[in-house]
Amino acid sequence: MARKLIVDGVEIEVEDGTTLMHACEAVGAEIPRFCYHERLSIAGNCRMCLVEVEGSPKPIASCAMLVNDLPPNRDGSPKKIFTKSTVAKKAREGVMEFLLLNHPLDCPICDQGGECDLQDQAMAFGMGGSRYEENKRAVEDKYIGPLIKTVMTRCIHCTRCVRYMTEIAGVEELGLIGRGEDAEITTYLEKGILTEMSANAVDLCPVGALTHRPWAHNARPWELKKTESIDVMDAVGSAIRVDTRGREVMRILPRNNDAVNEEWISDKTRHVVDGLKMQRLDRPYVRRNGRLVAATWAEALDAVAQRLKSTIPARIGAIAGDLAGAEEMFALRELMTGLGVTNLDCRQAGEAFDPSAGRGGYLFNATIQGIDVADTILIVGANPRLEAPVLNSRLRRRARQPGVTVALIGEAVDLGYKYQHLGTDPSAITKILQAPAVPAEHPMIIVGSGAVSRSDGAAILGALAKAALQFGVVKDGWNGFSVLHTAAARVAGLDLGFVPGANGLTAQQMAAGGVDVLFNLGADEIDIAPGPFVIYQGSHGDRGAHRADVILPGAAYTEKSATYINTEGRAQQTVRSVFPPGEAREDWTILRAVSAEIGNPLPFDTLEQLRAKMYAAVPQLAALNTVAAADAKGIEALATKAGVMRDDRFVAPIKDFYLTNPIARASQVMAELSALRHAAAGKTLSAAE
């Protein structure tokens, strides 16, 4: 039912259930707020959003009152609301004066300075001074986690952090204790909060009571150059902003994208920044007399060219790693196919995905937003909390809705929400196929890497595809067959066909010694046996570089413009925020130089020319920021390939959330978080770990 209101003299019609705040904003009125946040429950703590309502004896908190709660006028005329009246202005000034009573005047040393809502709203809606002359209240700082620095004297008790931790992060340990002057925000058990998304609470804090500990006193916002980019720490493709000063990345913040990450990012995405500076490969290396020694680019390229030219194509292979962009994978594919090489693989973990069957067999077909309407969710061989924390927060929000059922086949882990544990091995899938159908309008099956990276992965994928068709997971208007990838590069690699060709070897076969020359494009999560001559191209001195015979220093994701396709098939591009260190180069330019050294140069000299060739070969890479529905025939094709499944238990693909890639393993912050997580789990670390 629509209701008419008059806001500052402008008549407006809004639906029942609309808050007064949103009704006022619909006509362009500016309503200040501290406690209200559109993604959190309404608290009504701060009272900064007060407006004058005709007939009301006192100003009303517009965030907490709905338009249908307003008593009607006796004559039936629309209710009048005033946001700029003297009453509303005096009310806000009084609230602001009250909030600032105990707030310390420490703006010059506060890390929130320049980005502080309290500063901005005090200037816009506050008084020119304060009448308070008493001693200010002081509160002890709290330890609420290794990433969050607290100055609790600044706290205005808006409880945004409490609601975020409880409702989004799923950690019910933070709360408000005491009353009046003795009220404090603290952890119930006085210990740090260990969750993969804790640092988002800092973004929500409007007053600087919570700031980022790793960034403390390092920079001011106005000193930083801001670049909009995409995260590659997982396959979700969260929208981020990279802030730099000079040639150094200072911080990473989330950007709003309702279709992907909303306004949240994981702690790893945010605080992996120091890993971009440590253990960097900034010059070429060539192994001589058993040791890697620094070399010139000419020497390194010559060593690579000599090996490639002197080896038959059947004994050459290439593996693409988890952080590789589509551009360098396309360039490497073209380089290898030009030599007649068919040993290509981007499935570093050994997943049984076959791009020839169609995209539907390896995409999160329901889309990330589709989680919001799913009513029955089955998770197989995945731990979304560690593999995709931001996506898991959506799952948690949906799981808390009435009538929504979540079930898990795999390791019984803490996901932050309740679920039915159906089993730990593929026999549970067999039982499901034999069970009667469960009525559901939007059923969803989430297939994790832990289910398809086994030797029987193809059989498991086929059985799940069969279940999807049998129980209406795939039907007209809905495709709930959803694959949750763990690597940012995986979908783009599959789309590009970076998989074994005719008689080609898989990544595991190549790493085991199936080739004589192995081109390793940032594949650091696979162990390469002694024997092959390894050409490593990457950004960090990690596992792959230690095994290499030639090292070609590449660029990290913040240092290049590259295309990534997230788990749902959404193509997005990173933007270069800084230049690679030392003599390191963008990856596609290195491959172009290798091809020229061989004598068979690739047919592009610029990034634009490369992308034109790539888009012609794979058109979906050109459709940025869109998700095209995949053909369900790919799932039907998978269902016909169901084979024999082993009885082994599913094993989670991610053992340590904080150390999943070379950048993270180079980060001191991630190492500290990993150690804390192991300590909390009661595991004693050895010196090697």
Side-chain angles (χ1 to χ4, degrees):
M1 178 180 175
R3 292 182 180 262
K4 289 185 178 180
L5 300 171
I6 297 177
V7 180
D8 293 336
V10 180
E11 186 170 314
I12 184 175
E13 192 171 287
V14 296
E15 295 294 324
D16 274 353
T18 304
T19 64
L20 294 187
M21 175 185 286
H22 290 132
C24 293
E25 289 179 337
V27 300
E30 185 179 0
I31 307 295
R33 80 289 303 264
F34 289 118
C35 69
Y36 177 82
H37 192 276
E38 57 271 16
R39 303 195 193 277
L40 304 175
S41 60
I42 295 173
N45 291 340
C46 72
R47 323 305 285 183
M48 196 64 202
C49 63
L50 294 173
V51 297
E52 181 185 1
V53 178
E54 180 187 34
S56 177
K58 59 182 180 180
I60 289 176
S62 60
C63 72
M65 179 170 279
L66 306 180
V67 294
N68 39 301
D69 293 332
L70 291 174
N73 291 331
R74 292 184 177 181
D75 59 359
S77 61
K79 209 74 174 177
K80 294 181 179 178
I81 301 173
F82 305 95
T83 69
K84 302 175 184 177
S85 65
T86 302
V87 171
K89 183 174 181 296
K90 295 290 287 185
R92 292 169 186 167
E93 288 178 351
V95 169
M96 181 60 71
E97 187 179 14
F98 179 73
L99 292 176
L100 291 175
L101 288 184
N102 294 301
H103 197 87
L105 301 177
D106 61 349
C107 296
I109 63 165
C110 178
D111 275 328
Q112 198 91 328
E115 297 175 329
C116 179
D117 291 339
L118 187 64
Q119 281 182 330
D120 297 339
Q121 294 190 36
M123 292 294 295
F125 303 100
M127 300 176 61
S130 175
R131 293 167 290 181
Y132 186 73
E133 297 179 352
E134 310 299 322
N135 292 328
K136 293 202 173 205
R137 170 179 179 256
V139 183
E140 289 186 5
D141 295 340
K142 312 298 182 194
Y143 179 78
I144 62 173
L147 301 177
I148 303 175
K149 179 184 176 184
T150 61
V151 186
M152 301 311 293
T153 301
R154 301 172 184 161
C155 181
I156 63 170
H157 304 154
C158 70
T159 68
R160 278 188 178 184
C161 56
V162 176
R163 286 174 283 150
Y164 167 79
M165 290 293 186
T166 304
E167 299 166 13
I168 307 297
V171 182
E172 300 180 356
E173 295 179 5
L174 194 66
L176 179 71
I177 62 172
R179 298 186 66 186
E181 187 180 14
D182 298 322
E184 295 183 28
I185 299 286
T186 183
T187 55
Y188 298 122
L189 302 177
E190 297 185 359
K191 66 177 184 179
I193 295 173
L194 284 177
T195 173
E196 297 76 22
M197 296 181 61
S198 65
N200 291 300
V202 177
D203 294 336
L204 295 174
C205 182
V207 297
L210 307 180
T211 55
H212 295 285
R213 191 181 296 275
W215 304 337
H217 311 303
N218 281 344
R220 290 297 195 189
W222 54 84
E223 301 174 340
L224 306 177
K225 174 189 172 186
K226 302 168 179 60
T227 306
E228 295 184 351
S229 192
I230 301 297
D231 173 54
V232 300
M233 292 296 111
D234 54 33
V236 174
S238 300
I240 61 173
R241 194 188 83 194
V242 182
D243 289 359
T244 59
R245 183 174 62 192
R247 298 192 62 172
E248 183 179 4
V249 177
M250 300 301 296
R251 64 180 186 176
I252 293 174
L253 298 174
R255 289 190 294 117
N256 188 78
N257 187 343
D258 288 339
V260 181
N261 61 304
E262 297 181 307
E263 59 187 84
W264 320 122
I265 54 174
S266 72
D267 291 347
K268 181 167 59 177
T269 296
R270 186 188 299 267
H271 287 296
V272 80
V273 170
D274 64 322
L276 292 166
K277 302 173 248 185
M278 305 298 291
Q279 300 290 335
R280 291 304 305 269
L281 298 173
D282 58 358
R283 66 187 66 182
Y285 289 86
V286 175
R287 190 175 295 277
R288 293 172 180 154
N289 300 321
R291 299 187 64 179
L292 286 167
V293 297
T296 65
W297 269 107
E299 292 170 338
L301 292 174
D302 181 67
V304 171
Q306 292 300 324
R307 283 284 181 167
L308 291 175
K309 289 192 291 186
S310 62
T311 308
I312 62 173
R315 302 297 298 174
I316 300 175
I319 304 175
D322 294 349
L323 304 182
E327 286 79 1
E328 51 257 38
M329 284 192 287
F330 176 76
L332 182 56
R333 190 196 75 175
E334 293 298 288
L335 173 64
M336 290 293 142
T337 54
L339 295 173
V341 175
T342 59
N343 304 318
L344 306 174
D345 208 348
C346 65
R347 303 164 301 179
Q348 187 179 191
E351 300 98 329
F353 298 122
D354 182 7
S356 64
R359 300 185 87 206
Y362 59 85
L363 291 184
F364 201 95
N365 294 291
T367 72
I368 295 173
Q369 278 188 308
I371 295 172
D372 297 339
V373 299
D375 45 14
T376 300
I377 304 171
L378 173 64
I379 304 171
V380 183
N383 181 353
R385 180 172 174 178
L386 300 185
E387 297 169 30
V390 174
L391 185 144
N392 191 61
S393 71
R394 247 187 225 261
L395 283 171
R396 182 177 189 275
R397 183 174 65 200
R398 188 59 183 164
R400 297 175 71 197
Q401 298 297 315
V404 177
T405 303
V406 180
L408 172 71
I409 299 176
E411 294 183 24
V413 294
D414 180 13
L415 295 178
Y417 46 88
K418 294 181 179 179
Y419 60 84
Q420 300 177 19
H421 190 219
L422 303 182
T424 59
D425 56 61
S427 64
I429 302 174
T430 305
K431 293 177 181 178
I432 289 175
L433 288 169
Q434 297 170 352
V438 178
E441 188 175 350
H442 296 109
M444 178 186 292
I445 296 177
I446 297 178
V447 185
S449 297
V452 295
S453 58
R454 307 158 32 124
S455 60
D456 59 345
I460 293 172
L461 192 62
L464 292 172
K466 185 178 179 181
L469 297 173
Q470 181 175 325
F471 296 112
V473 177
V474 180
K475 56 187 177 182
D476 289 342
W478 175 253
N479 187 344
F481 186 82
S482 304
V483 175
L484 179 59
H485 291 278
T486 59
R490 196 76 77 239
V491 174
L494 294 170
D495 281 350
L496 287 165
F498 204 99
V499 293
N503 301 317
L505 303 178
T506 64
Q508 284 67 35
Q509 291 170 329
M510 287 185 271
V515 294
D516 295 332
V517 178
L518 180 59
F519 202 110
N520 183 344
L521 184 61
D524 292 275
E525 315 309 318
I526 190 169
D527 294 324
I528 302 173
F533 182 89
V534 179
I535 305 161
Y536 178 78
Q537 180 176 325
S539 60
H540 284 70
D542 202 68
R543 300 167 183 169
H546 294 169
R547 174 62 184 84
D549 295 287
V550 177
I551 295 176
L552 306 176
Y557 70 104
T558 56
E559 299 158 2
K560 61 186 177 184
S561 177
T563 305
Y564 292 87
I565 303 181
N566 75 346
T567 192
E568 60 182 347
R570 183 186 303 272
Q572 303 178 107
Q573 287 182 352
T574 62
V575 179
R576 185 177 65 195
S577 56
V578 292
F579 288 93
E583 299 177 35
R585 302 178 181 176
E586 289 193 45
D587 292 277
W588 76 267
T589 65
I590 298 173
L591 294 163
R592 174 62 176 81
V594 170
S595 70
E597 193 72 21
I598 294 173
N600 187 21
L602 294 171
F604 43 79
D605 298 314
T606 65
L607 183 60
E608 289 72 23
Q609 293 174 355
L610 185 156
R611 284 177 173 166
K613 296 284 186 182
M614 184 174 69
Y615 295 159
V618 187
Q620 60 259 33
L621 285 163
L624 297 178
N625 302 313
T626 60
V627 178
D631 195 339
K633 290 182 179 179
I635 301 169
E636 295 171 2
L638 288 177
T640 63
K641 299 180 180 179
V644 179
M645 298 181 290
R646 304 196 318 266
D647 294 332
D648 303 354
R649 293 187 174 188
F650 291 121
V651 178
I654 293 179
K655 301 298 182 184
D656 192 328
F657 168 74
Y658 299 106
L659 304 176
T660 55
N661 60 62
I663 303 175
R665 287 190 287 270
S667 167
Q668 183 178 348
V669 176
M670 294 298 108
E672 291 174 358
L673 291 172
S674 176
L676 286 169
R677 177 61 61 87
H678 282 88
K683 178 183 176 182
T684 302
L685 295 178
S686 67
E689 294 177 307

